[in-house]
Amino acid sequence: QASLAESGGGSVQAGGSLRLSCLASEYTVGKYCMGWFRQSPGKGRVGVASILPDGTTKYIDSVKGRFTISQDNGANTLSLQMEDLKPEDTGMYYCAAASRWYSGPCEARAVTSYGFQGQGTQVTVSS
């Protein structure tokens, strides 16, 4: 069973930066689609970024130009670099990984359907 462990969350002021990391166990980073989604009070779960095995990245419009998703196959780690953070970016951020049976799209908005997820790391952005 795949295990995903997020780290790197915290509290920052608007305009600040954070880097989230996701260490995968019993799962090979770079083999299937992976991504990040967040859950915010009153907004539900929203996929924000995804990455395909070939390294192609996808983002929702609200984070384009500010967030960068990347994968390190050697370290078996997925990362999300977040710049120019805004209060609306506040939420619990989860790493997600597609199972071998996942047949849906590798789009950012589909991340919540991938199959495996971690426990999450909290990001709080104050104005």
Side-chain angles (χ1 to χ4, degrees), residues 22-57:
C22 171
L23 178 62
S25 301
E26 302 300 322
Y27 186 90
T28 302
V29 170
K31 189 169 184 178
Y32 305 108
C33 303
M34 296 187 74
W36 293 88
F37 69 90
R38 65 189 177 203
Q39 184 158 12
S40 310
K43 295 183 180 179
R45 305 195 316 171
V46 177
V48 297
S50 63
I51 186 165
L52 280 67
D54 67 1
T56 300
T57 57

Side-chain angles (χ1 to χ4, degrees), residues 3 64 72 105 119:
S3 175
K64 281 181 182 176
D72 184 335
Q119 296 299 307

